[in-house]
Amino acid sequence: MVKKLILLATSLLICFTVNAANYQEGKHYKVIPDPIKVSSPEVREYFSYYCGACKGFETLLPELMRGLGDNTSLEKTHVDFMGATSAEVQFMLAKALLVAEQAGIDKKFSSAIFKYLQVDRGKIDDEKDIRDIYVLNGGDGAFFDKAMKSFSVVGKAKRNKKLQDELSKARLLTSVPTFVVNGKYVINAKALDRKDFVNDYKNILKYLSSLDY
C-alpha cells in the first residue's frame, strides 16, 4: 500500500513537473518589469461586470484556486476601460466591490451585478443604481453611503486604477479576465490548452505561485 502511494505521488509530481517545464516566459506568461508589491501570495483577477467571459469565470474561480494553499488570496480589480458604459460608472463599480468586500457580501453582490447587467439587460447610470442593488442583496444603505466616500475605499480604488493603467500602457493588460500572480506574472490565457483549459490554468497558477513562495 505504501509503495502504491509513493508511486502515485511520484507520478503526480512528474506530471506537474512536465507541465511546469512547458510554461515559457513570453509565451504562456509575461513578467512585469516593475513588479507590484504584495505582502503575501495572491492571484489577482482583472475583470469587468460588463464582460461575458468574466461572468463565466465566476464559477471556475474556486476550482482554479484549489491547491494553491490557504495563504494564497484571490483579489479582484474591476477595470474601467470597457466600452459598454463610461469610465466613471465603471470606477463606481470598482469602489462598490471594495465596499461589498468590507461588508462580507462581495460574492452575492457580484453575482447580482452580473445578473442585472448581462441577464436582465439592466443599465447602471449612477451610484444610486448600484446602491439599490447593494441593498437588495443584503447590504446596509447607510454603510454603503459612508464607505463609498471613505479614505480607505477611495484610496484603494485609485491605487488599483493606477496599477491598471500602468499594466495597460505596458500592453500587459489588454483584455479581461486577466490574472496576475504575486504582482509579477501576467498569464496569457490564449496560449493555454483549449482542450484541457481549466486544468492547464490550474497548473500554470501553481507553477507561477511556486516561483516566489
Side-chain angles (χ1 to χ4, degrees), residues 12-48:
L12 290 174
L13 179 59
I14 291 173
C15 188
F16 176 68
T17 302
V18 170
N19 285 332
N22 289 331
Y23 295 128
Q24 303 170 22
E25 180 183 339
K27 180 180 179 181
H28 299 94
Y29 66 94
K30 294 182 179 179
V31 178
I32 299 174
D34 186 15
I36 302 165
K37 293 182 180 179
V38 296
S39 57
S40 59
E42 73 165 43
V43 173
R44 181 170 297 274
E45 180 196 16
Y46 286 87
F47 82 106
S48 172

Side-chain angles (χ1 to χ4, degrees), residues 2-206:
V2 175
K3 288 184 177 179
K4 289 183 178 180
L5 289 174
I6 292 174
L7 287 173
L8 176 61
T10 302
S11 64
L12 290 174
L13 179 59
I14 291 173
C15 188
F16 176 68
T17 302
V18 170
N19 285 332
N22 289 331
Y23 295 128
Q24 303 170 22
E25 180 183 339
K27 180 180 179 181
H28 299 94
Y29 66 94
K30 294 182 179 179
V31 178
I32 299 174
D34 186 15
I36 302 165
K37 293 182 180 179
V38 296
S39 57
S40 59
E42 73 165 43
V43 173
R44 181 170 297 274
E45 180 196 16
Y46 286 87
F47 82 106
S48 172
Y49 290 123
Y50 294 89
C51 161
C54 297
K55 182 178 183 297
F57 256 83
E58 286 294 293
T59 58
L60 296 179
L61 291 176
E63 179 66 19
L64 294 179
M65 292 298 294
R66 191 169 292 122
L68 294 183
D70 295 335
N71 63 333
T72 301
S73 63
L74 172 64
E75 308 294 337
K76 295 171 73 70
T77 294
H78 190 272
V79 301
D80 69 350
F81 54 68
M82 301 295 285
T85 189
S86 67
E88 181 182 6
V89 167
Q90 293 175 78
F91 186 68
M92 288 180 196
L93 285 166
K95 290 197 299 177
L97 174 58
L98 295 174
V99 174
E101 288 175 349
Q102 285 189 3
I105 62 168
D106 48 299
K107 291 182 179 179
K108 189 174 182 180
F109 174 75
S110 287
S111 178
I113 293 288
F114 273 125
K115 180 178 181 298
Y116 178 73
L117 291 174
Q118 297 195 37
V119 178
D120 302 335
R121 299 300 179 184
K123 186 179 179 183
I124 292 176
D125 293 314
D126 51 36
E127 189 173 301
K128 182 183 180 302
D129 292 337
I130 302 172
R131 184 186 190 274
D132 289 344
I133 297 172
Y134 178 87
V135 172
L136 283 172
N137 286 275
D140 179 78
F143 178 81
F144 179 90
D145 295 337
K146 184 177 180 180
M148 285 289 281
K149 300 175 183 176
S150 69
F151 176 81
S152 61
V153 168
V154 174
K156 189 172 183 178
K158 286 184 176 179
R159 178 180 179 273
N160 287 344
K161 159 69 174 167
K162 180 175 181 290
L163 294 174
Q164 170 213 291
D165 288 344
E166 289 174 354
L167 290 175
S168 295
K169 186 177 180 180
R171 303 298 296 169
L172 294 170
L173 175 60
T174 59
S175 63
V176 287
T178 291
F179 288 81
V180 178
V181 180
N182 295 336
K184 187 175 181 180
Y185 309 104
V186 184
I187 295 175
N188 176 21
K190 293 180 180 179
L192 300 183
D193 185 354
R194 311 312 294 182
K195 296 179 180 178
D196 196 18
F197 186 71
V198 175
N199 282 327
D200 208 14
Y201 226 121
K202 286 170 62 177
N203 283 335
I204 194 170
L205 284 172
K206 289 178 183 178

